[in-house]
Amino acid sequence: MTTPVSRRPDTPGRPLMRALLREEAFRSLAAGRALTFFGNSMAPVVLAFAVLDLGGSAVDVGLVVGARSVSNVVLLLFGGLLADRMPRALVLQGAAYSAAAVQAGVGIAVLAGRAPVGILLVLSVVQGAASAVSMPASAALIPRTVPAGELRGANALSRMGVNAGMIAGTSFGGLLAALAGPGWGMVLNGVAFLGAALAYGAAGRALARRRAAAAAAAAEEDSAEATAGGATAVEGGPGASDGAAEGPWHALREGWREFVSRTWVWVVVAQFFVVNAVSAGGIQVLGPTVADATFGRTLWGFVLAAQMAGALVGGLLVARSRSRHALRIGVTVVALDALPLAALAQSADVAVLLVAMFVNGVAIEQFGVAWDLSLQENVPQDKLARVYSYDALGSTLALPLGEMAAGPLAEHYGVRPTLLCGVALVALVTAGALCSRQVRDLTTGGAVAPVDGAPAAGGSRGGRPPDAAEPLDAP
């Protein structure tokens, strides 16, 4: 394994980025996440236009897109539990293979003209299930692949890869739907998920080799101490086997206690309960409807890509940030989620919409890195995936409601009033979140949270989390 360049943990410049990419486990995990989000970002676009090509309405689009969110919500807690009790790389690999098979199969059916709306609903359900299983595992695996002091840069770099995948996915989604049909987008999704599965497998093997090397080094050190007459009994590492004896309900309750014990966690999740529902309904459901009626599908793909391009630029900015109040800044800029909704209400002005989506993308990344860093530094590693699953559940629970309600609300009240109501809701809940003192005062930039009961990992030296936790990640 290549030793990373030693740098201050709060100044992740280019040498650190290159050093992170030389870490095989991190590099493979980041590649797998990028490919996964490539497929996931293309899916809503091609699904929406596939429904419209079949003669469906905005309500039908909402039902198909919302089916994915329903499946995701139902299985999220199971995904977090699975990721805390099984090798996380293996969980990711299985989910990616499943998504690849279903996406490619349904894409071929669409191309053959044998895919009614019911089949697209099934695709949405399976895709949501795969996402629910993989989402907590991929986020919780990042701290195991890099030194603790380099976690901010690792999160930023990983999210930059994710955003690059999303840029490509949304762009190809709109272009393929317009030029070749949505079926080709689904087939391409299948290929992307296959590549992700292979990358996750490589990450798991790299972690296994690293753990074996660490165990060999520890055994050699213990042998030297015993020879010198100073050996002591070595107990099993904390968190290595306790979870195996727990029942699933006990493990879920334990994750829930970790989640509710931190006010800043559930306050921010409550904020995103509203923000994500409003954005999903406005962008994923009403957006394609407005695009079809005004500037067309091809430009809609570029509009979505502008948001992802902004997120990519935002990743470059946040990777160099030294702020210790990252969460406060991230929560504040969430208010900019209102910009695309306001611009979409002025549907004829594509230039304004492109700028609004780009600025919103920059803001999204400030929050995303701050949120991941806050969780990874403050939640015990052996419970992190479960807390991530409760976070994802709370943040996405309203997605089906937002996606399925957007069409009927727009038909009853009009598209513009529905979007402007969403603008007001985003501003209101962001102000409410900032009323929490814990949200305003939480600091980042310290050590990675250890396995519960273990000494803190990293500290000022930026070391790795304890090896006792790593059986969770290595097959």
Side-chain angles (χ1 to χ4, degrees):
M1 183 190 69
T2 304
T3 302
V5 177
S6 176
R7 291 180 56 88
R8 288 174 50 121
D10 60 347
T11 58
R14 291 183 181 177
L16 175 57
M17 295 299 185
R18 289 195 294 267
L20 288 170
L21 289 175
R22 287 196 295 268
E23 296 278 358
E24 182 181 357
F26 172 76
R27 183 177 67 246
S28 299
L29 175 62
R33 295 189 84 201
L35 287 169
T36 297
F37 276 84
F38 172 87
N40 283 337
S41 63
M42 183 185 293
V45 180
V46 296
L47 275 173
F49 289 126
V51 173
L52 293 173
D53 284 348
L54 292 171
S57 65
V59 175
D60 296 319
V61 173
L63 287 173
V64 171
V65 175
R68 179 186 187 278
S69 298
V70 170
S71 174
N72 189 270
V73 165
V74 169
L75 294 176
L76 265 173
L77 295 184
F78 171 75
L81 176 61
L82 197 65
D84 273 342
R85 296 171 76 107
M86 291 183 63
R88 289 170 182 163
L90 186 62
V91 170
L92 291 168
Q93 199 174 3
Y97 275 130
S98 300
V102 174
Q103 289 276 359
V106 176
I108 292 171
V110 170
L111 291 173
R114 299 178 179 274
V117 173
I119 295 296
L120 299 181
L121 278 169
V122 172
L123 169 61
S124 289
V125 169
V126 174
Q127 189 178 51
S131 176
V133 171
S134 63
M135 185 188 305
S138 65
L141 188 55
I142 291 176
R144 304 286 173 78
T145 61
V146 297
E150 298 170 2
L151 192 55
R152 186 192 297 260
N155 278 298
L157 187 57
S158 175
R159 290 179 62 90
M160 286 165 62
V162 164
N163 290 324
M166 293 174 74
I167 290 171
T170 50
S171 299
F172 275 111
L175 289 172
L176 286 175
L179 301 177
W184 285 111
M186 295 178 187
V187 172
L188 186 58
N189 277 348
V191 175
F193 281 116
L194 178 61
L198 297 175
Y200 292 140
R205 290 190 295 273
L207 287 169
R209 288 193 297 270
R210 195 183 81 186
R211 178 171 174 262
E220 183 178 347
E221 182 180 348
D222 290 344
S223 176
E225 290 179 356
T227 301
T232 57
V234 179
E235 297 180 358
S241 60
D242 292 344
E246 296 176 352
W249 292 113
H250 173 81
L252 287 175
R253 287 195 301 270
E254 190 176 44
W256 174 252
R257 285 194 296 269
E258 290 289 336
F259 177 82
V260 298
S261 66
R262 296 167 173 82
T263 301
W264 59 271
V265 173
W266 60 259
V267 165
V268 175
V269 171
Q271 175 193 15
F272 270 82
F273 179 90
V274 177
V275 171
N276 284 351
V278 170
S279 296
I283 303 300
Q284 300 295 343
V285 176
L286 298 184
T289 305
V290 171
D292 254 6
T294 54
F295 47 78
R297 299 180 178 187
T298 302
L299 283 178
W300 178 242
F302 284 106
V303 166
L304 295 176
Q307 186 184 50
M308 296 304 103
L312 188 61
V313 173
L316 292 171
L317 296 176
V318 75
R320 290 165 170 76
S321 171
R322 302 184 184 185
S323 172
R324 291 183 58 81
H325 290 93
L327 187 63
R328 179 200 302 170
I329 296 171
V331 167
T332 301
V333 299
V334 167
L336 296 177
D337 267 40
L339 286 181
L341 300 173
L344 193 60
Q346 311 299 325
S347 56
D349 198 340
V350 179
V352 172
L353 184 57
L354 285 168
V355 173
M357 293 288 267
F358 181 86
V359 172
N360 178 233
V362 175
I364 286 173
E365 203 60 15
Q366 308 308 303
F367 171 80
V369 172
W371 182 241
D372 284 337
L373 194 62
S374 299
L375 289 177
Q376 291 162 5
E377 290 186 352
N378 290 279
V379 177
Q381 292 296 304
D382 57 330
K383 301 180 179 67
L384 182 58
R386 276 169 285 176
V387 172
Y388 261 120
S389 69
Y390 279 109
D391 158 38
L393 177 63
S395 298
T396 61
L397 191 60
L399 284 178
L401 296 177
E403 290 164 342
M404 295 180 184
L409 286 174
E411 288 185 354
H412 189 272
Y413 297 104
V415 172
R416 189 169 186 272
T418 301
L419 290 169
L420 293 179
C421 181
V423 170
L425 285 173
V426 169
L428 182 64
V429 297
T430 300
L434 289 171
C435 290
S436 168
R437 185 171 181 177
Q438 283 195 18
V439 171
R440 298 195 307 271
D441 293 348
L442 187 78
T443 59
T444 55
V448 173
V451 171
D452 200 17
S460 61
R461 294 184 301 155
R464 297 184 184 278
D467 291 334
E470 298 203 7
L472 294 172
D473 305 324

